[in-house]
Amino acid sequence: MQASESSGADGVEIRTYFVRDRNALVTRGDFGDLFVDYYLHLSDHGLRHEPDVDQLLKDTLSAIVLHSASRPWNETVAWTISLQRPLLNLFAAADNRLSIVAGNLFTDNVKKNDSNLFYSDLVRGSEPNRRSVVTFEGGNIFRAVEEYYRQSEQRPARYFQLGDEDFVFVSAQPDCDVAWFDELDDDAIAVLDQTETLSLLETRRYQWQCGCSEEKLLPMLASAMKTDPAGLFGGEEAIRVSCPRCGALYVVTRLQMEEFGKS
C-alpha cells in the first residue's frame, strides 16, 4: 500500500481505500508534518509537555484524524479521554468540513475515577450533538479507540503503526470478512496492496488549527467579570487565559473585559 505524502503547507494527506471482497476501509497517513505544526504551536505559546504525555496527545491526534477521514464530510467530532495512570485528560477535535484538527492535555486538577473513560461528542450536519461514553483498560490510546468502536459503534476497528509517524486504521463495514480482519497484523498491513485489491476512495488533508482567538475567549470570562471582577483579576490589570481546546495562551486586560461588558 502506497505511503501517504504530506506537505506542511497543505496539511497531512490521508488516503482511504476500500478492500474489495473483504468489506473493510483502510485509512492511512504519515503525520510528520502535522506534528511539526503541533510543536510550532507549543513553541509559539511557550508550552512544553513531558515526553510520555506528549506522545499520548500525538497518538490521540493521529487516531482522531484517521477516524474522521473514514467518516462523512459533514461530521465534527471531539474526544475527551480520561486516564488514571498517568492521571490526565486528553482532548482532541477534528472538523471534516474545515479539514482541521487540534488538541490539548490537562494534568492539573484532574478528577480521579474508578476506570479510564472515553467520551465522544459527534455533530453531523444540523443534527443534535450525540455523546457516547465507554470505559477501557490500559493507557494505549489506539486500543482505547478500538474499545470505543466495539462498545459504541458496535463494529471492530484496528490501528497499526508502520513507522514512527505512519499509522493505518482499518474499520469493518457491513458484511466484513471478520476472520480475515482479526488475523491482520503489521506484516499483513505492510503488504496489503500486494495481497488484496484496494480501491482508492478519496484523499483528504487535515491541518493543525484550533480557530481560537482572544476575542472568542472574552465571552467565557464575561460571567466571572460580571459577578466577581476582583476574583477574576486578583488585583492585576491583566491575566493570561488558556484556550481549553489547544492550550494557546492569551493576555486579557481588565479594560478589555470592561469594554466587552458594555457591548
Side-chain angles (χ1 to χ4, degrees), residues 75-134:
E75 283 192 1
T76 299
V77 63
W79 291 347
T80 301
I81 303 173
S82 176
L83 289 174
Q84 299 304 297
R85 294 184 181 179
L87 185 62
L88 80 159
N89 288 339
L90 298 156
F91 173 83
D95 189 329
N96 280 343
R97 299 164 300 174
L98 301 177
S99 299
I100 60 175
V101 61
N104 197 10
L105 63 85
F106 307 87
T107 57
D108 296 331
N109 302 315
V110 178
K111 180 182 178 181
K112 291 185 178 181
N113 296 300
D114 294 333
S115 60
N116 298 327
L117 296 173
F118 186 105
Y119 298 84
S120 174
D121 289 283
L122 171 67
V123 176
R124 179 183 299 154
S126 60
E127 298 177 10
N129 175 74
R130 189 182 75 188
R131 163 166 281 202
S132 299
V133 184
V134 302

Side-chain angles (χ1 to χ4, degrees), residues 31 34-35 38-39 41-42 47-65 79-81 83 86 88-93 101-107 139-142 145 167 208 243-248:
F31 287 82
L34 181 68
F35 294 155
Y38 160 66
Y39 283 122
H41 167 81
L42 294 184
L47 303 173
R48 183 182 179 277
H49 304 311
E50 292 299 320
D52 289 349
V53 297
D54 181 71
Q55 186 60 54
L56 290 172
L57 180 54
K58 288 164 62 179
D59 289 348
T60 305
L61 294 170
S62 303
I64 199 170
V65 167
W79 291 347
T80 301
I81 303 173
L83 289 174
L88 80 159
N89 288 339
L90 298 156
F91 173 83
V101 61
N104 197 10
L105 63 85
F106 307 87
T107 57
N140 187 300
I141 299 302
F142 299 109
V145 183
F167 296 93
W208 171 274
C243 171
R245 292 170 57 89
C246 71

Side-chain angles (χ1 to χ4, degrees), residues 139-159:
N140 187 300
I141 299 302
F142 299 109
R143 303 294 86 79
V145 183
E146 292 171 359
E147 185 62 20
Y148 159 76
Y149 263 80
R150 188 187 71 83
Q151 294 187 44
S152 185
E153 297 284 333
Q154 297 185 343
R155 58 189 175 101
R158 299 179 66 188
Y159 285 91

Side-chain angles (χ1 to χ4, degrees), residues 243-256:
C243 171
R245 292 170 57 89
C246 71
L249 294 173
Y250 297 92
V251 176
V252 177
T253 67
R254 182 186 294 268
L255 179 60
Q256 279 179 290

